[in-house]
Amino acid sequence: MKRSLVLLLVLALAVSLAGCGTPAAPAEEPDEGEEPVSTEPIRIGYLAHITGDGAVWGVAESNGAKMAVEDINAAGGVLGRQLELFVADGRGNAADSVNATRRLVEQDKVIAVLGSNYSGVNIATAPIVAAAKVPQIGSFSTNPLVTVDENGNVRPWSFRLCFIDPYQGKVIADFAYNELGLKNAAVLYDIGSDYSVGLTEYFKARFEELGGTVIGTWAFKAGDVDFRPQLSEIKAKGPELLVLPNLYKEIALPAKQARELGMSDLVFMGGDGYSLTMLEMAGPELEGSYWTGHMTWKDPEIAPMKDRYTAKYGVEDPEYNLVMGYDIVYFLVDAIKRAGSTDGEALRNAIETAKDVQLKHAVITMDPETHNPLNKPAVIEKVEGSKFVFHSKYVPE
């Protein structure tokens, strides 16, 4: 019995050793600083205002981003990985946008936040993305404070693809004074909007520098619908030009009421807050007005996108935001490719040093000192026959 027991123990030990076999080699660890190879989708966030007053732009922008992601994934993705888009609704205000951005960076774990088109919103979300070390690229957020703080220091994690309000204010002033020959102007602006206040200041400074006279600025608060008190005072001053540096609702109503007060010869002009919707709201009262923008459907590079969007979403006259939503995804993809990584710091550096990136609507070189695109021309559109008609591309002197 003892001999049999010993034999069994020897056999058991032999089986046990055979089961262990040759010790497995340890899993290969990435070199220090090297990102582990992943096949998981690359998560990108889009902050768009798809409900509220800004929905006309936010829906177009987010749909444009979805089209870009579809195209990129169909072509094989980026770094061998597919893109996964998370759209968060900022609802057109800073409080909801801050919460939406927190969800994107903390819950959805996105590598970048694209959008939004509102300056005040992006100023509010700048500390959120900075703390998370996630770059944010604004679309049409034109206020300088989006990328540079009150002390003049660049916000390291905040960028944009549009030109800024000082430039836009200069375009309005130069075009009105030099091209239209208008010498006296008034401004009606939204005192609670960073965009509107900033554009007013930059227009006024440049127009007066050129030799023009700003007879006064009149303020209102968002949500106001009766502008007749301010317009009556403006009428008494007799300006040739009324600058409306506002969003579309606060353009259409004042224009309509100004005409009702008999200001038939007054020329309206404003920045990129306009929308096709305001033509429906104001009717023929905006005829002959001028607006600065970032692109035009006359551009053969973007014209096919309008037809594609109409076929896909059934919108006959889409907003230009769809083009920016599409382009901003491709701009990010270019940075991911150059970084060779989705690491936050590497991606931030690649965005900051972007040079001659060919997009549908423009060629973008990022200014590392301001995080704004360099030398981007403005488009002037005029309302004729109740439509926006391309007038010219304009670069102020």
Side-chain angles (χ1 to χ4, degrees):
M1 294 294 291
K2 286 184 177 177
R3 185 175 180 180
S4 300
L5 180 60
V6 170
L7 180 59
L8 286 172
L9 289 172
V10 170
L11 289 172
L13 179 61
V15 169
S16 174
L17 289 173
C20 291
T22 304
E28 186 175 346
E29 297 289 338
D31 295 337
E32 186 176 354
E34 181 179 305
E35 188 176 351
V37 176
S38 172
T39 58
E40 293 295 314
I42 296 173
R43 297 178 166 215
I44 60 175
Y46 209 110
L47 179 61
H49 307 295
I50 55 179
T51 59
D53 289 346
V56 293
W57 300 305
V59 170
E61 229 172 270
S62 58
N63 285 341
K66 291 174 186 174
M67 290 166 59
V69 169
E70 290 170 3
D71 289 351
I72 293 164
N73 285 342
V78 188
L79 303 182
R81 300 164 64 182
Q82 296 283 284
L83 295 180
E84 186 174 6
L85 182 67
F86 293 78
V87 177
D89 185 5
R91 302 180 181 178
N93 66 78
D96 284 319
S97 295
V98 164
N99 291 332
T101 302
R102 282 205 175 99
R103 284 197 301 277
L104 286 173
V105 300
E106 295 174 3
Q107 178 179 311
D108 300 325
K109 305 295 183 185
V110 300
I111 63 158
V113 177
L114 308 180
S116 77
N117 59 320
Y118 281 5
S119 294
V121 161
N122 284 23
I123 292 170
T125 58
I128 308 299
V129 297
K133 297 188 181 303
V134 170
Q136 180 174 19
I137 308 171
S139 53
F140 292 111
S141 47
T142 51
N143 189 291
L145 292 177
V146 169
T147 60
V148 178
D149 67 20
E150 293 82 353
N151 297 318
N153 300 313
V154 68
R155 301 182 193 272
W157 296 89
S158 297
F159 302 84
R160 78 180 106 216
L161 284 194
C162 57
F163 51 65
I164 60 175
D165 288 337
Y167 181 81
Q168 190 169 203
K170 188 175 182 182
V171 168
I172 297 172
D174 280 44
F175 185 82
Y177 188 89
N178 293 324
E179 303 298 322
L180 301 180
L182 304 175
K183 310 302 181 189
N184 297 290
V187 184
L188 181 62
Y189 70 102
D190 180 353
I191 197 170
S193 163
D194 292 327
Y195 165 79
S196 188
V197 171
L199 199 49
T200 297
E201 292 174 356
Y202 301 122
F203 163 77
K204 184 173 184 294
R206 177 59 177 172
F207 197 69
E208 291 177 341
E209 180 185 352
L210 289 170
T213 300
V214 177
I215 62 169
T217 60
W218 283 262
F220 66 86
K221 293 181 180 178
D224 287 356
V225 294
D226 185 3
F227 303 92
R228 292 176 182 85
Q230 297 97 320
L231 290 168
S232 295
E233 293 181 15
I234 293 171
K235 181 183 179 182
K237 299 281 187 178
E240 302 167 284
L241 170 70
L242 178 58
V243 177
L244 298 167
N246 310 317
L247 303 184
Y248 68 96
K249 280 187 177 178
E250 282 94 16
I251 292 172
L253 288 175
K256 194 168 185 176
Q257 292 170 11
R259 298 301 189 219
E260 290 170 355
L261 289 172
M263 304 162 79
S264 56
D265 295 330
L266 191 63
V267 175
F268 301 126
M269 192 166 181
D272 61 342
Y274 66 92
S275 162
L276 290 165
T277 304
M278 74 188 196
L279 298 180
E280 301 169 7
M281 297 173 65
E285 314 305 347
L286 284 169
E287 200 70 11
S289 59
Y290 295 88
W291 309 94
T292 62
H294 303 260
M295 59 192 79
T296 170
W297 292 125
K298 295 290 184 183
D299 185 340
E301 289 296 321
I302 69 169
M305 294 188 69
K306 182 179 181 182
D307 297 334
R308 181 184 172 191
Y309 191 88
T310 298
K312 187 176 180 67
Y313 294 103
V315 178
E316 290 295 331
D317 293 308
E319 301 285 346
Y320 292 127
N321 297 67
L322 88 89
V323 180
M324 186 63 96
Y326 188 93
D327 273 355
I328 205 168
V329 173
Y330 271 89
F331 180 77
L332 175 65
V333 164
D334 174 83
I336 295 172
K337 288 179 178 176
R338 285 185 291 106
S341 165
T342 57
D343 171 72
E345 191 68 47
L347 188 55
R348 193 204 74 82
N349 293 338
I351 294 171
E352 190 175 70
T353 56
K355 187 174 189 306
D356 297 333
V357 181
Q358 179 67 61
L359 302 177
K360 290 289 186 184
H361 83 285
V363 178
I364 298 294
T365 294
M366 189 63 68
D367 182 353
E369 302 297 324
T370 63
H371 289 185
N372 303 323
L374 289 167
N375 303 321
K376 194 174 180 184
V379 167
I380 303 292
E381 292 204 289
K382 183 180 182 182
V383 177
E384 292 180 354
S386 296
K387 293 182 178 179
F388 289 109
V389 176
F390 172 67
H391 183 278
S392 59
K393 285 191 175 182
Y394 190 76
V395 178
E397 296 178 358

